[in-house]
Amino acid sequence: MFEFLNSKFSDLFFKIKNKGKLSPKDLDDSLREIKLVLLEADVNFLVVKEFIENIKKKAIGENILESLTPFQQVIKIVNEEMTKMLGGASSSINFSQRIPTVIMLVGLQGSGKTTCSVKLASMIKSRYSKKVSLIAADVYRPAAILQLIDYSKKINCEVYHEDSNKNAVSISINGINMLRKSASDVVIIDTAGRLQIDTEMMNEVIEIKNKVKPHQIYLVVDSMSGQEAVNVAREFNDKLEYDGVILTKLDSDSRGGAALSINHVVKKPIKFASTGERIEDFDIFHPDRMASRILGMGDMLTLIEKTEKIIDEKKAKELEEKIYKSELNFEDFIDQLKSIKKIGSLEKVFSMLPMMGKNKALKNVNLDDKQLDRVEAIINSMTVQERRNPELINGSRKKRISDGSGTTVNDVNRLLKQFESTKHMLKQFSGGFNKRGINFPFPKF
Amino acid sequence: MFKLVNNLTYLWNKFKDRGNAEFWNSLEEELILNNVSVNTADFILSEVKEYCFKNSINSLNEIKNLIKGKIKEILECGNNWDIHINEKKPFIILVVGVNGVGKTSSIAKLAMMLQKEGKSILIAAADTYRAAAIEQIQFFGEKLNIEVIHHQRNSDPGAVVYDSIDKAFAKNADIVIIDTAGRMQTSANLINELKKIKRIVNKKNSRDPDEIFLVIDSNTGQNAKSQTEVFKEALDITGIILTKADSTSKGGIVLTIKHDLNIPVRFITYGERIGDISYFDPEKFVDLLVE
């Protein structure tokens, strides 16, 4: 996400990067560019105006025009202001003392509430080891209840539903009573999508709030929303006073600007971000990281954290050792493949890397996860000995492997060649990697 | 979009004495706040502004008409964008879009509209991915008494399309509407899956789908353009179904999409009821926009 902002900002800063000093006109020019970038990213017009004013004031106040590194200073200010706009420090969930902690999700139609309630349940379950259950309170959309039941099967959560009851309020009350008995720590209520101007529907959700008294209410917002998102968020907040926002569909390109402005205008934190189709594509929202990402530094922190979670440290040590001794074999290779797949699709991994927005060569590369599957199939068709000792693989073995994996001898050859060069490359890296430090393509400040 | 109506008079009264620049700036702001892109807003206003300046036009009514004219020009009012069902059966409509824009509901609405015109319809439930998507479209199918061709969940959507067209031949149905899973334009694999569906239609029916509609949510901001770009490139979409027009956001981005990519809006949906759909009427749209 935010790639769009990302590449625009990179363009802009590349333009003024090489200047030693910024003239007042340079500053105005860059601020105008920033304004356009933000507007095209759906940040609300009024918020943009304020943002630009702030930056200008700061830039003048800090006398950056006189400084020797005005460019870095502008980035610093934009970064700071952006982080501020995104809500300052990141915030996590507050659980109630008495069980169950009740969380209600509300939002417009199609913002992603049902999907999010299951993803949120899964996250709370795995991260906080709580027993999480769901209440299906969307009685309007056809098959919405079924969707929730079906989707939550994947994470083994109990779903409370009443198929003949059309009253979302009583379903919620009954659900909580029932789920309290089954000792659920957390109960998530999935409500129907509604327009903020639909009085009848808003009254329904207000009534649920009054009767059930959820500990947390989250507004689910589509990250692709336009200028109007601010008004939607404001109106929902006036009626419900929610505690935070869940930002969805961040796997789309760019934007999310609307969410920045919601945060700014309604002053409620963005708590979680949903970034893909899979249940685990859901995470606590990190404003600071997102700001860095917008500025073209990529979402390295998220990537690093995700990798850490998945790659077991001991195994990593072993691997390092092997790389050093040049003993890397196909068994390690397939381990690595599997961990990459756990992080997410290749596209996602790449989008987290810094400066991808700028990299024209990569822009049109089709990152096909099927290729990984093919590689996996080839390796799976090798015997254990072949995996440990790739040198063994001769012509007839290649034929057998390619037949076994449904590929061609050419594919097998290509993989072997790639493997050799990877091995070679890794060996070179493993020596001086840390001493020299990773060279980020972005100035440090 | 509709907010511009009241505001124009308001802005005029507020700024006419303080010089024109502020009036024009505030007009631009209004357009942008309605999700028209900065470029399109500039395009509309700069020409009107220049014309006003040259011909020393200084009345609100005239400015209104000029803006209206410019927007009509972009939307190509007068063109007939209705569906023209050709002789060769079945007429195939493929409906695509990102997640949560309202594809399935729109299909139900579209099906009812065409049914009212006396056509026999089949629906292909080719969203085999989302939980309960098949059940959702089946619900509408039962309500409208339209057969929904479906397979198991997670089965190949291409196979559903294949079977549906076979079925359409067998039943001599007029129209097949294909419901597809929501997908982000950024996911190359899923976009390729749609290309495959299109190829299957071509193979079975000896021509591409007769209409390929991209569904766009009125609430969507500038990203709608990126969506249209990708889907247009991949599939040659023939039009847009603008959904949720009953929300407070009126989808001004469609102006930009028409202007920059030349894809027209064909249908507009505006409510929870199955009858809440009509052909998009640009004339009406503009009249409502600038009154």
Side-chain angles (χ1 to χ4, degrees):
Chain A
M1 114 173 251
F2 293 102
E3 277 91 5
F4 170 82
L5 265 177
N6 199 337
S7 71
K8 276 290 170 78
F9 265 121
S10 321
D11 282 351
L12 168 64
F13 287 125
F14 271 82
K15 218 163 32 186
I16 56 170
K17 182 179 161 184
N18 300 325
K19 296 203 173 188
K21 270 191 165 184
L22 291 183
S23 68
K25 192 181 165 296
D26 284 335
L27 180 63
D28 276 345
D29 282 353
S30 20
L31 289 178
R32 200 179 52 238
E33 289 286 326
I34 292 173
K35 181 177 160 184
L36 286 179
V37 167
L38 293 174
L39 284 177
E40 280 180 47
D42 294 316
V43 181
N44 184 275
F45 198 101
L46 308 170
V47 176
V48 172
K49 267 188 177 168
E50 204 182 318
F51 182 67
I52 298 293
E53 275 308 305
N54 277 346
I55 291 191
K56 195 169 179 178
K57 252 187 245 155
K58 278 213 159 176
I60 292 169
E62 287 177 19
N63 252 338
I64 64 151
L65 302 181
E66 300 299 313
S67 108
L68 285 174
T69 52
F71 165 68
Q72 279 88 338
Q73 296 297 320
V74 175
I75 299 175
K76 193 175 154 216
I77 294 170
V78 172
N79 187 26
E80 279 171 5
E81 287 301 307
M82 194 82 94
T83 311
K84 221 196 259 174
M85 243 168 91
L86 282 159
S90 67
S91 44
S92 49
I93 309 178
N94 308 317
F95 294 103
S96 106
Q97 299 285 331
R98 276 189 57 205
I99 66 156
T101 301
V102 179
I103 300 175
M104 178 163 80
L105 302 190
V106 297
L108 294 179
Q109 289 93 340
S111 50
K113 285 172 298 304
T114 306
T115 311
C116 268
S117 45
V118 177
K119 286 178 173 176
L120 179 63
S122 165
M123 195 205 74
I124 295 176
K125 210 176 140 184
S126 64
R127 195 166 291 183
Y128 301 95
S129 309
K130 303 263 183 199
K131 183 177 180 204
V132 190
S133 305
L134 295 143
I135 296 178
D138 178 356
V139 293
Y140 305 98
R141 184 162 61 86
I145 296 174
L146 201 62
Q147 184 188 353
L148 188 70
I149 296 171
D150 223 49
Y151 201 36
S152 58
K153 268 184 199 150
K154 289 192 182 169
I155 58 163
N156 268 326
C157 275
E158 190 180 342
V159 179
Y160 181 85
H161 58 102
E162 294 179 31
D163 298 340
S164 52
N165 188 348
K166 286 278 167 213
N167 184 335
V169 183
S170 72
I171 291 175
S172 306
I173 297 169
N174 298 344
I176 288 176
N177 289 336
M178 195 71 160
L179 294 169
R180 183 174 285 129
K181 280 180 207 147
S182 71
S184 298
D185 298 311
V186 179
V187 173
I188 299 172
I189 307 176
D190 177 31
T191 62
R194 65 200 76 222
L195 288 177
Q196 80 279 14
I197 44 167
D198 185 336
T199 320
E200 202 177 311
M201 288 295 284
M202 287 308 284
N203 283 342
E204 178 197 86
V205 81
I206 292 169
E207 204 186 334
I208 298 180
K209 184 190 169 176
N210 291 339
K211 294 264 165 70
V212 169
K213 303 210 166 39
H215 300 92
Q216 305 266 294
I217 301 176
Y218 298 139
L219 178 73
V220 180
V221 176
D222 185 336
S223 61
M224 296 181 287
S225 324
Q227 296 283 327
E228 195 55 22
V230 162
N231 298 327
V232 174
R234 193 188 282 127
E235 196 82 5
F236 265 97
N237 194 43
D238 287 349
K239 303 239 161 76
L240 287 172
E241 259 192 83
Y242 50 79
D243 303 276
V245 172
I246 300 180
L247 200 54
T248 62
K249 307 184 200 171
L250 288 176
D251 48 332
S252 76
D253 53 355
S254 87
R255 324 295 150 114
L260 312 196
S261 25
I262 289 177
N263 205 312
H264 183 74
V265 171
V266 189
K267 310 270 185 261
K268 291 288 156 80
I270 297 174
K271 290 247 181 187
F272 307 100
S274 166
T275 55
E277 299 261 12
R278 299 170 325 150
I279 287 180
E280 56 273 34
D281 294 333
F282 190 84
D283 211 342
I284 286 178
F285 182 78
H286 298 281
D288 44 339
R289 293 179 191 178
M290 205 53 93
S292 317
R293 184 165 169 166
I294 292 167
L295 286 173
M297 287 154 77
D299 202 1
M300 283 301 278
L301 285 168
T302 305
L303 183 61
I304 289 166
E305 196 180 68
K306 278 204 167 188
T307 321
E308 271 173 355
K309 227 166 37 189
I310 282 156
I311 295 170
D312 153 14
E313 216 167 291
K314 209 169 129 205
K315 263 195 176 166
K317 260 257 146 62
E318 279 173 24
L319 188 72
E320 208 174 303
E321 201 92 319
K322 276 188 174 169
I323 291 171
Y324 193 63
K325 291 187 194 148
S326 245
E327 279 170 3
L328 195 70
N329 62 36
F330 274 113
E331 280 185 340
D332 309 312
F333 202 68
I334 206 158
D335 269 353
Q336 289 303 300
L337 264 186
K338 282 184 181 146
S339 2
I340 289 180
K341 278 181 143 181
K342 273 189 215 157
I343 299 174
S345 67
L346 275 183
E347 254 170 286
K348 219 163 82 190
V349 173
F350 270 85
S351 72
M352 289 178 188
L353 296 172
M355 300 314 284
M356 280 301 159
K358 197 65 209 158
N359 199 328
K360 293 250 158 56
L362 273 168
K363 219 166 192 173
N364 293 316
V365 173
N366 186 358
L367 295 165
D368 189 352
D369 287 315
K370 287 227 171 85
Q371 269 174 14
L372 288 189
D373 292 341
R374 232 165 280 144
V375 168
E376 217 180 321
I378 294 175
I379 299 175
N380 281 336
S381 295
M382 295 176 183
T383 63
V384 176
Q385 276 173 330
E386 284 165 351
R387 276 183 228 164
R388 290 188 182 151
N389 244 330
E391 297 81 34
L392 276 178
I393 302 173
N394 57 20
S396 65
R397 282 176 192 261
K398 280 178 195 165
K399 178 86 180 61
R400 196 204 71 246
I401 293 168
S402 64
D403 284 348
S405 57
T407 54
T408 62
V409 174
N410 254 341
D411 290 331
V412 179
N413 275 332
R414 206 175 304 132
L415 177 65
L416 288 172
K417 215 170 149 194
Q418 266 174 8
F419 178 70
E420 271 312 308
S421 60
T422 312
K423 208 161 122 183
H424 185 69
M425 204 174 69
L426 284 174
K427 169 129 174 97
Q428 283 187 328
F429 264 144
S430 65
F433 205 61
N434 288 328
K435 272 166 244 156
R436 265 181 274 128
I438 305 168
N439 215 351
F440 283 98
F442 221 73
K444 293 196 176 85
F445 46 78
Chain B
M1 288 295 290
F2 298 76
K3 269 194 305 198
L4 202 55
V5 182
N6 313 321
N7 285 5
L8 205 55
T9 320
Y10 167 77
L11 293 172
W12 178 256
N13 290 333
K14 191 170 168 196
F15 292 123
K16 67 178 169 193
D17 303 327
R18 277 195 255 159
N20 275 333
E22 265 182 279
F23 172 72
W24 292 107
N25 280 344
S26 54
L27 261 185
E28 187 188 17
E29 186 173 325
E30 279 307 316
L31 284 173
I32 292 171
L33 278 171
N34 283 297
N35 288 328
V36 178
S37 79
V38 177
N39 284 340
T40 315
D42 278 351
F43 171 81
I44 295 170
L45 293 179
S46 66
E47 290 198 11
V48 173
K49 203 155 109 186
E50 203 185 305
Y51 186 86
C52 288
F53 187 72
K54 272 188 185 154
N55 300 290
S56 36
I57 288 170
N58 222 346
S59 94
L60 176 62
N61 265 340
E62 268 179 275
I63 295 175
K64 263 187 200 168
N65 282 334
L66 286 167
I67 294 175
K68 253 177 163 173
K70 206 76 230 160
I71 297 175
K72 279 184 187 173
E73 213 177 288
I74 291 175
L75 291 175
E76 289 186 68
C77 286
N79 265 12
N80 185 352
W81 303 114
D82 290 2
I83 286 192
H84 296 290
I85 312 270
N86 49 29
E87 301 290 292
K88 282 190 217 147
K89 288 183 193 178
F91 187 85
I92 296 181
I93 302 173
L94 176 63
V95 180
V96 300
V98 302
N99 313 62
V101 287
K103 282 175 297 303
T104 306
S105 310
S106 297
I107 285 170
K109 289 171 179 169
L110 185 62
M112 197 195 75
M113 191 175 173
L114 295 169
Q115 195 182 36
K116 267 193 183 161
E117 292 174 13
K119 307 288 182 206
S120 62
I121 298 163
L122 279 183
I123 293 175
D127 178 356
T128 55
Y129 182 81
R130 183 167 63 85
I134 297 172
E135 286 81 356
Q136 188 184 353
I137 192 75
Q138 273 179 322
F139 170 89
F140 286 122
E142 270 165 41
K143 216 168 160 181
L144 296 169
N145 203 10
I146 289 175
E147 187 174 356
V148 175
I149 314 298
H150 63 96
H151 288 183
Q152 294 273 318
R153 173 126 183 260
N154 291 327
S155 60
D156 174 19
V160 181
V161 172
Y162 192 96
D163 281 1
S164 306
I165 299 174
D166 266 343
K167 192 83 184 218
F169 281 128
K171 287 182 74 176
N172 198 26
D174 297 319
I175 300 170
V176 178
I177 308 179
I178 304 169
D179 185 17
T180 61
R183 65 201 72 220
M184 289 299 164
Q185 72 272 30
T186 45
S187 163
N189 293 338
L190 291 176
I191 295 291
N192 284 336
E193 187 187 270
L194 286 179
K195 287 188 191 166
K196 185 181 152 199
I197 289 180
K198 191 177 162 183
R199 279 198 302 274
I200 289 171
V201 170
N202 190 301
K203 213 168 162 189
K204 288 293 284 179
N205 206 27
S206 326
R207 61 177 195 274
D208 280 339
D210 300 279
E211 297 279 11
I212 303 178
F213 292 140
L214 173 67
V215 182
I216 285 186
D217 183 335
S218 294
N219 290 298
T220 307
Q222 304 303 310
N223 193 253
K225 186 181 161 190
S226 148
Q227 291 169 19
T228 313
E229 255 164 356
V230 175
F231 281 99
K232 180 188 175 190
E233 161 103 23
L235 296 170
D236 253 325
I237 51 175
T238 59
I240 284 167
I241 301 178
L242 185 65
T243 58
K244 309 183 197 172
D246 52 330
S247 71
T248 45
S249 195
K250 300 303 175 196
I253 188 66
V254 297
L255 262 187
T256 298
I257 291 173
K258 180 70 180 69
H259 185 229
D260 294 357
L261 304 169
N262 199 24
I263 302 288
V265 182
R266 306 283 296 276
F267 295 92
I268 183 161
T269 75
Y270 39 80
E272 298 270 359
R273 287 166 312 158
I274 203 160
D276 293 336
I277 183 172
S278 55
Y279 282 113
F280 178 72
D281 182 349
E283 199 85 36
K284 219 172 173 179
F285 191 71
V286 178
D287 281 345
L288 281 168
L289 173 63
V290 189
E291 212 169 71

